[in-house]
Amino acid sequence: MRRIGVLTSGGDAPGMNAAIRAIVRKGIYEGCEVWGIKRGFAGLIEGDIVPLELGSVADTIHRGGTILLTARSQEFMTEEGRREAFASLHRAGIEGLIGIGGEGTFRGLLTFHRETGFPVIGVPATIDNDIGGTDYAIGFDTAVNNVVDAINKIRDTATSHERTFVVEVMGRNTGFIALTAGLAGGAESILLPEFPFDIEAVCQRLMRGIRRGKRHSIIVVAEGVGSAPAIAQEIKQRTGLETKAIILGHIQRGGTPTVFDRVLASIMGARAVELLLAGEKRAAVGLVGGEVKHCDLEEALRTTKKIDEAAYKLAEILAI
């Protein structure tokens, strides 16, 4: 294998550029050419493919987002679209494809491989951290640090005005961001899709805090649970406490990737190149138990990652 393609797809995640950088430089070190595919699977169908040199990825390891750009492609979900993508790879002389992204990216790679036999490697990058086959996805650590930084700032105003704030965070249908940031940020309550919650119990916890002299409260809500404004309104009606809602939104995705995400992305990107050169046909890279490993793409998609229930219970204990 002498020519490798790399793309980023789906939602951007801090650390994607570090992964691209590692793939390009590791590939060139191993004697390969590395070509970048712009705008994910959409750019692959359109043939928007450019050669990447050592200098192409200079001064990128600290940058958020993705220099290759990203998009979601409805056309790639069709057989005709995937046939055109295969033709684009053939015209460019690319012999193996590395896709950096989350569940949608992995599903696209797996379907593409099944239909064409083309060698594909998935590198997990999603702030939601909801992809199987890895303990941590690229971007998750940066996202939770962004959330904790926001909670710290919100807490200043919450204390000054003696208010309750309901902070909604991303995560799709999972609560990994909410639990990690809520525990680190000292939230009084953390509402996750994985565990049913009783709004009356949340309100009682708030009132207990008021009775012991607590002047403010922070409640972290995963977006898969419901609307922060609706929950804030319900709390206000039940308790009479001045309650504000904040939806952090896409601020969670941006900014300079943390040291952890830069290192994780660099190691995973390099391993993806090694797997292609070793003859792997459809693998997913992952960090499991502190070691970089790989598994079949289908296994990564089939595995349901579970929330740490012990950490959830600990957060409740520490918020008493």
Side-chain angles (χ1 to χ4, degrees), residues 52 155 191 213 265 269 273-274:
L52 299 174
R155 193 179 293 279
L191 310 185
V273 173
E274 293 170 357

Side-chain angles (χ1 to χ4, degrees), residues 8-21 23 60 63-67 70 100-102 105 125-126 138-139 257 261 265:
T8 52
S9 177
D12 61 301
M16 280 182 162
N17 285 327
I20 296 167
R21 174 179 179 270
I23 291 164
T60 61
R63 292 171 56 188
T66 164
I67 60 171
T70 185
I100 305 168
T105 303
T126 166
I138 296 164
D261 273 333

Side-chain angles (χ1 to χ4, degrees), residues 129-137 174 176 303-307:
N129 201 39
D130 59 352
I131 192 79
T134 186
D135 295 337
Y136 295 102
T174 64
F176 293 103
T303 303
T304 301
K305 188 182 292 185
K306 294 183 178 180
I307 284 283

Side-chain angles (χ1 to χ4, degrees), residues 13-306:
M16 280 182 162
N17 285 327
I20 296 167
R21 174 179 179 270
I23 291 164
V24 171
R25 294 191 171 181
K26 175 68 171 178
I28 292 173
Y29 174 82
E30 297 291 350
C32 298
E33 294 180 14
V34 182
W35 288 58
I37 300 158
K38 298 289 190 71
R39 298 179 181 84
F41 294 122
L44 181 56
I45 292 171
E46 296 165 2
D48 193 359
I49 305 172
V50 296
L52 299 174
E53 308 294 342
L54 293 175
S56 303
V57 292
D59 198 34
T60 61
I61 193 170
H62 63 287
R63 292 171 56 188
T66 164
I67 60 171
L68 289 177
L69 310 178
T70 185
R72 303 183 194 278
S73 174
Q74 294 297 321
E75 190 176 357
F76 190 77
M77 296 180 183
T78 67
E79 288 187 22
E80 182 179 352
R82 292 189 291 273
R83 282 196 298 269
E84 185 55 42
F86 180 75
S88 292
L89 289 170
H90 181 72
R91 287 192 296 269
I94 293 171
E95 302 164 274
L97 177 64
I98 299 173
I100 305 168
E103 181 184 2
T105 303
F106 278 29
R107 290 195 184 281
L109 291 172
L110 180 59
T111 302
F112 186 67
H113 171 79
R114 284 172 172 167
E115 293 178 352
T116 65
F118 201 83
V120 294
I121 307 293
V123 176
T126 166
I127 67 166
D128 302 324
N129 201 39
D130 59 352
I131 192 79
T134 186
D135 295 337
Y136 295 102
I138 296 164
F140 174 70
D141 187 68
T142 304
V144 294
N145 274 279
N146 286 341
V147 173
V148 171
D149 180 61
I151 289 173
N152 292 340
K153 292 178 171 64
I154 293 165
R155 193 179 293 279
D156 290 342
T157 292
T159 303
S160 299
H161 292 267
E162 299 179 292
R163 289 174 179 166
T164 295
F165 275 82
V166 180
V167 182
E168 182 180 317
V169 301
M170 287 180 165
R172 291 208 307 170
N173 298 317
T174 64
F176 293 103
I177 293 176
L179 177 57
T180 306
L183 179 57
E188 279 65 37
S189 291
I190 305 172
L191 310 185
L192 311 177
E194 292 83 356
F195 301 105
F197 73 94
D198 179 1
I199 192 66
E200 182 59 32
V202 173
C203 293
Q204 289 175 5
R205 179 188 291 270
L206 289 173
M207 297 311 295
R208 284 197 301 270
I210 294 293
R211 286 192 292 270
R212 68 178 176 83
K214 196 169 183 63
R215 293 163 50 190
H216 71 278
S217 293
I218 302 290
I219 299 171
V220 175
V221 179
E223 65 180 350
V225 168
S227 162
I231 292 171
Q233 183 63 26
E234 182 72 15
I235 290 171
K236 184 176 181 179
Q237 289 176 351
R238 288 173 179 257
T239 66
L241 298 174
E242 187 174 3
T243 307
K244 301 292 185 181
I246 293 182
I247 301 173
L248 293 184
H250 290 80
I251 193 172
Q252 295 162 85
R253 280 183 174 172
T256 300
T258 60
V259 169
F260 181 84
D261 273 333
R262 297 186 202 192
V263 173
L264 180 66
S266 297
I267 294 172
M268 284 185 171
R271 179 60 61 88
V273 173
E274 293 170 357
L275 290 173
L276 276 181
L277 297 184
E280 287 287 341
K281 300 301 183 184
R282 59 173 211 188
V285 185
L287 183 73
V288 181
E291 297 182 22
V292 178
K293 299 182 178 181
H294 69 278
C295 65
D296 188 275
L297 263 175
E298 187 171 9
E299 180 184 345
L301 287 166
R302 189 172 57 241
T303 303
T304 301
K305 188 182 292 185
K306 294 183 178 180

